[in-house]
Amino acid sequence: MKPKRIHNFNAGPAALPQPVLEEIQANFLDFGGSGMSITEISHRSKWFDNVISDAIIRVRRLLQLDKRYHVLFLQGGASLQFGMIPMNFLSAQDCADYVNTGTWSAKAIKEAQIQGKNIRVAASSEDRNFAYIPKDIAFTTNAVYAHITSNNTIKGTQWADFPDTGDAALIADMSSDIFSRSLDISRFGMIYAGAQKNIGPAGVCLVIIRDDFLSKVPVHLPTMLKYTTHADKNSMFNTPPCFAIYTIQLVLKWLEETIGGLEKMDALNRKKAQLLYQSIDASEFYKGTADQDSRSLMNVTFRLPNEDLEKEFIAQAIANDLGGLKGHRSVGGCRASIYNPTPLKAVEVLVDFMKDFEKKKS
Amino acid sequence: MKPKRIHNFNAGPAALPQPVLEEIQANFLDFGGSGMSITEISHRSKWFDNVISDAIIRVRRLLQLDKRYHVLFLQGGASLQFGMIPMNFLSAQDCADYVNTGTWSAKAIKEAQIQGKNIRVAASSEDRNFAYIPKDIAFTTNAVYAHITSNNTIKGTQWADFPDTGDAALIADMSSDIFSRSLDISRFGMIYAGAQKNIGPAGVCLVIIRDDFLSKVPVHLPTMLKYTTHADKNSMFNTPPCFAIYTIQLVLKWLEETIGGLEKMDALNRKKAQLLYQSIDASEFYKGTADQDSRSLMNVTFRLPNEDLEKEFIAQAIANDLGGLKGHRSVGGCRASIYNPTPLKAVEVLVDFMKDFEKKKS
């Protein structure tokens, strides 16, 4: 019997490419002829070595990383990175800039402050409820890094271009838009991304870090909290989250071989987002919440004329096999998350549903 | 086509119950009628809430936990716990005892020392290469806790009984023998276990922690490193490793409903270990490495007359679909890990193979 599959607009954990799920399923009891499940093989076996090596090669190729960059797979999500970044890179003499574009930026700022680090909020869009990405920011000239959240899942905003931060290297939380578009990595000291939106299941965080940042890591941190530990041991100081890394490997393979790389992915993502935003803009019924020039290509946030209609919209969507359209519990409204794995077809179905719903209710 | 399956004696990640793997596989594209994979559903959905709630209920029931104990699922493995325990529980005025029974104990000790905490190694079996579990230990009277590693995967030793630690509560790393036998939890302030041996895949650590220990947690730690954060948010402060928790839920269901609980599991584990140790003791060819009264029921470590024979033994075992018998890279020799999921049948096949190999070579 063919399994039931819905159109999945979850914000994270989110949809994965169906061919990837089918490959995992087909090989789940016998991975690569090992006679064991991917969940049962040793992380030091040739089987897993092939998995993690291929995942790293694909990350390097997709982002055109040069030798200075290390690719790590860590546990604890972006949330642990919020703490590790200032812990590893800011000595008592150092300072760093942060841009506050919403909930996740604010959490990153809070973790630096808890540690008593010298940081400055160089810009914030809090004045208008984070509906935009700040422009013309004056960054601190001697900052070690400038931290941004490249895409804001809750408010539906995204940096279209990255800011000029002078001598300070950019550090970006790309949890919700990694591999969604082409990227000039040379401006970044580090990028990190919880996997559960664009590249895999929950339980692993991709970290890409430049050599000169590793040299800042102090000696006397707890071993698991030092980036050098994981860079020195190729993410295998301790047992890594093997299943999650395996899924990432398959998603990146799909991204390269089925989609055709970042430029093609970028074009497809723009097409999906355009379709949805055009449909919203053409209507008096739906209203986007983010400024037009700051709109996210990944999380399309919108409101209906009132909360009762929003509730009904979400309920009827579910009845029509369109899931995950409820806005984040902190802001309400509606949100369609359309990360890499979401097919164009799903967006087309959603747009049709929205038109139908509007017709019935207005 | 029926998938190939070998007899899997890996030390971790290790074998999982085949019915659990089959259930994951069958539902992988459509979890519980959601029309989404378990890897695609929101951690805040009713589907995942059912999963984590059931997993917690089963942990509580299996260990007969009273209200004082909290059940958490954290990332970073036991290795991160080594650092978090002293960070959370030892103020500048406090001291703690550690017992050193091998590699993993030593790592736990090292992480407390890195933080400059006041700890004492109350006993060690290093004098005889960790071949035994120390007895008659004099613990420090005012220690906040006494830390032990309940089973030592590399050296093949295990605490048969837990020591009397006076007023100091026991903290145990049970990564490699959690749920393998009945347990009197009341003597423990905390137990923790990386899942990838007895209860699930790599990528999640089960932590059981008593209320009075939570009250020691200082305010100004990084949020992700405070046990109170995770206890307050039922392990969902950030996105948890959903797939790994789901697998644990299914393994615990299998343990309760198919095996019949901890006493039955204990009896089966003893039968498996006895069969293997009797076979080793009856032979002049194989030689156990641990003292008899300290032998592990989980990891049976043994040597052959020389290293060439060991290499041949491991290679021929693999040719006969018996995998994972190589000793840890730090000690060499052979090791059969026979955690909960390993069926009696696998041990019977191994014992027959060992007899055949001995006959051919002696």
Side-chain angles (χ1 to χ4, degrees):
Chain A
M1 201 180 70
K2 221 179 147 194
K4 174 187 166 188
R5 296 284 294 163
I6 67 162
H7 300 293
N8 180 354
F9 299 98
N10 273 329
L16 287 169
Q18 183 144 335
V20 166
L21 296 173
E22 285 167 353
E23 181 168 346
I24 295 171
Q25 183 182 45
N27 300 307
F28 198 66
L29 267 76
D30 175 15
F31 178 72
S34 66
M36 298 176 276
S37 172
I38 181 70
T39 58
E40 300 180 299
I41 60 172
S42 169
H43 55 298
R44 308 211 184 270
S45 66
K46 64 181 180 211
W47 294 289
F48 188 70
D49 191 54
N50 287 341
V51 168
I52 195 168
S53 299
D54 188 60
I56 292 169
I57 286 168
R58 290 183 189 279
V59 170
R60 302 194 77 89
R61 192 163 48 214
L62 280 160
L63 297 178
Q64 302 180 302
L65 302 183
D66 65 41
K67 280 186 189 165
R68 294 172 304 161
Y69 289 93
H70 300 258
V71 176
L72 311 178
F73 297 103
L74 305 185
Q75 292 186 59
S79 293
L80 186 57
Q81 296 305 306
F82 298 159
M84 281 176 68
I85 289 166
M87 195 184 294
N88 277 264
F89 305 143
L90 291 182
S91 73
Q93 291 76 45
D94 293 329
C95 68
D97 280 353
Y98 280 73
V99 181
N100 184 9
T101 53
T103 307
W104 301 108
S105 307
K107 282 180 184 256
I109 291 165
K110 184 184 162 200
E111 294 306 315
Q113 286 169 336
I114 283 175
Q115 297 174 44
K117 300 292 186 180
N118 182 16
I119 65 142
R120 187 175 77 93
V121 178
S124 168
S125 51
E126 196 169 4
D127 60 331
R128 283 203 292 111
N129 198 21
F130 301 110
Y132 68 101
I133 300 292
K135 286 188 192 69
D136 305 322
I137 304 167
F139 288 95
T140 306
T141 46
N142 64 339
V144 170
Y145 62 82
H147 181 281
I148 62 166
T149 313
S150 60
N151 182 74
N152 302 280
T153 50
I154 296 176
K155 303 293 182 178
T157 63
Q158 186 177 26
W159 293 78
D161 298 302
F162 295 106
D164 180 359
T165 52
D167 287 342
L170 268 169
I171 293 186
D173 174 359
M174 291 197 184
S175 294
S176 50
D177 65 355
I178 183 93
F179 297 125
S180 70
R181 51 182 170 175
S182 303
L183 188 73
D184 174 11
I185 191 75
S186 68
R187 301 168 63 185
F188 294 85
M190 171 175 163
I191 62 179
Y192 61 103
Q196 67 271 16
K197 292 155 196 296
N198 271 298
I199 53 170
V204 65
C205 185
L206 172 65
V207 174
I208 297 164
I209 190 166
R210 208 170 60 196
D211 258 340
D212 55 313
F213 271 78
L214 286 180
S215 71
K216 297 181 198 296
V217 177
V219 176
H220 290 294
L221 291 181
T223 309
M224 282 291 288
L225 300 176
K226 291 164 74 171
Y227 290 113
T228 43
T229 299
H230 304 291
D232 290 348
K233 299 284 186 184
N234 197 29
S235 303
M236 299 230 257
F237 168 73
N238 68 330
T239 315
C242 301
F243 176 79
I245 295 170
Y246 163 58
T247 308
I248 290 179
Q249 183 226 349
L250 294 182
V251 172
L252 297 184
K253 187 171 167 235
W254 166 85
L255 178 48
E256 289 196 298
E257 296 176 10
T258 304
I259 298 297
L262 290 191
E263 278 182 36
K264 295 244 171 98
M265 190 77 255
D266 194 350
L268 180 56
N269 283 331
R270 279 176 202 282
K271 197 168 174 183
K272 283 150 53 182
Q274 211 165 31
L275 185 62
L276 203 38
Y277 282 121
Q278 276 175 352
S279 163
I280 289 168
D281 291 342
S283 133
E284 293 289 313
F285 189 77
Y286 302 104
K287 197 170 152 49
T289 61
D291 284 10
Q292 293 226 7
D293 66 354
S294 299
R295 280 175 165 175
S296 167
L297 301 179
M298 301 281 102
N299 310 95
V300 178
T301 51
F302 56 97
R303 306 295 310 237
L304 273 65
N306 62 60
E307 289 189 11
D308 285 340
L309 278 171
E310 285 170 351
K311 268 187 202 158
E312 201 182 333
F313 175 85
I314 291 159
Q316 285 204 19
I318 290 170
N320 283 276
D321 287 344
L322 297 158
L325 290 167
K326 200 173 170 180
H328 190 268
R329 64 210 142 89
S330 66
V331 293
C334 298
R335 171 176 55 176
S337 295
I338 48 173
Y339 303 116
N340 286 358
T342 305
L344 179 62
K345 176 74 190 166
V347 180
E348 289 168 349
V349 172
L350 172 59
V351 165
D352 286 345
F353 171 78
M354 288 170 71
K355 282 179 188 154
D356 279 355
F357 188 84
E358 180 178 358
K359 209 175 289 175
K360 277 185 218 153
K361 297 294 167 186
S362 52
Chain B
M1 200 180 71
K2 224 180 146 192
K4 174 186 166 188
R5 296 285 293 163
I6 66 161
H7 300 295
N8 179 354
F9 299 98
N10 273 331
L16 287 169
Q18 183 144 337
V20 166
L21 296 173
E22 285 167 352
E23 182 168 346
I24 295 171
Q25 184 181 43
N27 300 308
F28 198 66
L29 268 74
D30 175 16
F31 178 72
S34 66
M36 298 176 275
S37 172
I38 181 70
T39 58
E40 299 179 302
I41 61 173
S42 169
H43 56 298
R44 307 210 183 270
S45 66
K46 63 181 181 212
W47 295 289
F48 189 70
D49 191 55
N50 287 340
V51 167
I52 194 168
S53 299
D54 188 60
I56 292 169
I57 286 168
R58 291 183 188 278
V59 170
R60 301 195 77 89
R61 191 162 50 213
L62 281 160
L63 297 179
Q64 301 180 304
L65 301 183
D66 64 41
K67 279 185 188 164
R68 294 173 303 162
Y69 290 93
H70 300 257
V71 176
L72 311 177
F73 296 103
L74 305 185
Q75 293 187 59
S79 294
L80 186 57
Q81 297 304 306
F82 298 159
M84 281 175 68
I85 290 166
M87 195 183 294
N88 278 265
F89 304 143
L90 292 182
S91 73
Q93 291 75 46
D94 293 328
C95 68
D97 281 351
Y98 280 73
V99 181
N100 184 7
T101 53
T103 306
W104 301 108
S105 309
K107 282 178 184 256
I109 291 165
K110 184 185 162 199
E111 294 305 316
Q113 288 170 335
I114 283 174
Q115 296 174 44
K117 300 293 185 179
N118 183 17
I119 65 142
R120 188 176 75 94
V121 178
S124 168
S125 51
E126 196 170 4
D127 60 329
R128 284 202 293 110
N129 197 20
F130 302 111
Y132 69 100
I133 299 293
K135 287 190 190 64
D136 306 322
I137 304 167
F139 288 95
T140 307
T141 47
N142 63 339
V144 171
Y145 63 81
H147 181 281
I148 63 167
T149 314
S150 59
N151 181 74
N152 302 279
T153 49
I154 295 176
K155 303 294 182 177
T157 64
Q158 186 177 26
W159 293 79
D161 299 303
F162 294 107
D164 180 0
T165 51
D167 288 341
L170 267 168
I171 293 185
D173 174 0
M174 292 197 183
S175 293
S176 50
D177 65 356
I178 184 91
F179 297 126
S180 70
R181 51 181 172 175
S182 303
L183 187 73
D184 174 11
I185 190 76
S186 67
R187 301 168 64 185
F188 293 86
M190 170 176 162
I191 62 179
Y192 62 102
Q196 66 271 16
K197 292 156 196 293
N198 270 299
I199 53 170
V204 64
C205 185
L206 171 64
V207 173
I208 297 164
I209 190 166
R210 209 170 60 195
D211 258 340
D212 56 312
F213 270 77
L214 285 181
S215 70
K216 298 181 198 297
V217 176
V219 176
H220 290 295
L221 291 180
T223 309
M224 281 291 287
L225 300 176
K226 292 166 72 170
Y227 289 112
T228 43
T229 299
H230 304 292
D232 290 348
K233 298 284 187 183
N234 196 30
S235 303
M236 300 231 256
F237 168 72
N238 67 330
T239 316
C242 301
F243 176 80
I245 295 171
Y246 164 58
T247 308
I248 289 179
Q249 183 226 347
L250 294 182
V251 172
L252 297 183
K253 186 172 167 232
W254 166 86
L255 179 49
E256 287 196 299
E257 297 175 10
T258 304
I259 297 297
L262 289 192
E263 279 181 35
K264 295 244 170 95
M265 190 77 256
D266 193 350
L268 180 56
N269 283 332
R270 279 175 203 283
K271 198 168 172 183
K272 282 150 53 182
Q274 210 166 32
L275 186 61
L276 203 39
Y277 282 122
Q278 276 174 353
S279 163
I280 288 168
D281 291 342
S283 133
E284 293 290 314
F285 188 77
Y286 302 104
K287 199 170 150 46
T289 61
D291 285 10
Q292 292 226 6
D293 66 355
S294 299
R295 279 174 165 176
S296 167
L297 301 178
M298 299 283 102
N299 310 93
V300 178
T301 50
F302 55 97
R303 305 297 309 234
L304 273 65
N306 61 61
E307 289 189 11
D308 285 341
L309 278 170
E310 285 169 353
K311 266 187 204 161
E312 201 181 333
F313 175 84
I314 291 158
Q316 286 203 19
I318 289 169
N320 282 274
D321 286 343
L322 297 157
L325 290 165
K326 198 172 171 182
H328 190 268
R329 63 212 144 89
S330 65
V331 294
C334 298
R335 170 175 58 174
S337 296
I338 49 174
Y339 303 117
N340 286 357
T342 306
L344 180 61
K345 177 73 190 166
V347 180
E348 289 169 350
V349 171
L350 172 60
V351 165
D352 286 346
F353 170 79
M354 287 170 72
K355 281 181 187 150
D356 279 356
F357 188 83
E358 179 178 358
K359 209 175 286 173
K360 278 185 217 150
K361 297 294 169 185
S362 51

